[in-house]
Structure formats: structure tokens, C-alpha cells
Amino acid sequence: MMLTAPAVFYNFLLASFFGSLFHFWKGGTGGRLLLNLILSWTGFALGHGLGELWETSFLMIGPIHSGLGTAGSLLLLFIGHGLSKLEESSHEFDPRNH
């Protein structure tokens, strides 16, 4: 199903809300906020795309697969957060500095 401009805008707002809320919960700098927004937008788009591909109707709002979009958004946000923590922890102990 083709998305209309208002549906795309709603997807963008919903994904932005998830990314901002996640940033508010986990904290971080402005760069981290941008990363959270990009991850949320990407995850929502991928989730919506999978909903279209699988032809599901889980929590649909008009033409929007908001259920799978939300799941995709949250999945990428948590994966991104976890990977950033791995990166931070690898810099905490550097044997060359000891």
C-alpha cells in the first residue's frame, strides 16, 4: 500500500518521539540524540517495510504498520545503545596505558 504524505509525516513524528524518549531515558550528548533519532527512523522504516512485505495488520493505523514500525524502532535503539556501551567499555581498559 502506498503511503500518503500525511502518513509519512506521522511515521516520522512517531519514530522521532521514540528516539527522543529513548534519549531522555538513557541520556547523552547532542550527538547521541542524533544517533538515537537516526536509529529510530531507520528501525521504524524497516519495521514498516517488513509489515508491508509480510502483509500483516498488527496495530495498523490506516496504511501505517505502527506495531512492526515501533518494534523495529525499539530494536535498533537497544542494539545501538548496546553497541555503544561495548565501544565505551573497550576504551575503559587499554593495556597500552598501564
Side-chain angles (χ1 to χ4, degrees):
M1 184 180 317
M2 188 68 160
L3 289 180
T4 62
V8 171
F9 183 67
Y10 180 76
N11 283 350
F12 177 76
L13 286 179
L14 194 56
S16 297
F17 174 73
F18 293 140
S20 300
L21 192 62
F22 190 85
H23 179 74
F24 179 73
W25 178 40
K26 294 295 185 180
T29 63
R32 180 61 59 102
L33 173 61
L34 182 61
L35 175 66
N36 287 339
L37 288 173
I38 291 170
L39 288 172
S40 185
W41 296 331
T42 304
F44 199 95
L46 290 173
H48 173 78
L50 285 176
E52 284 287 316
L53 183 68
W54 294 339
E55 299 177 356
T56 63
S57 60
F58 175 64
L59 294 177
M60 283 193 68
I61 301 174
I64 302 167
H65 293 275
S66 59
L68 289 177
T70 299
S73 176
L74 294 176
L75 181 66
L76 275 188
L77 284 168
F78 278 103
I79 288 172
H81 181 72
L83 290 176
S84 70
K85 290 299 178 189
L86 287 176
E87 180 68 24
E88 289 174 6
S89 67
S90 69
H91 290 302
E92 288 178 6
F93 178 73
D94 188 356
R96 294 173 289 177
N97 294 336
H98 295 295

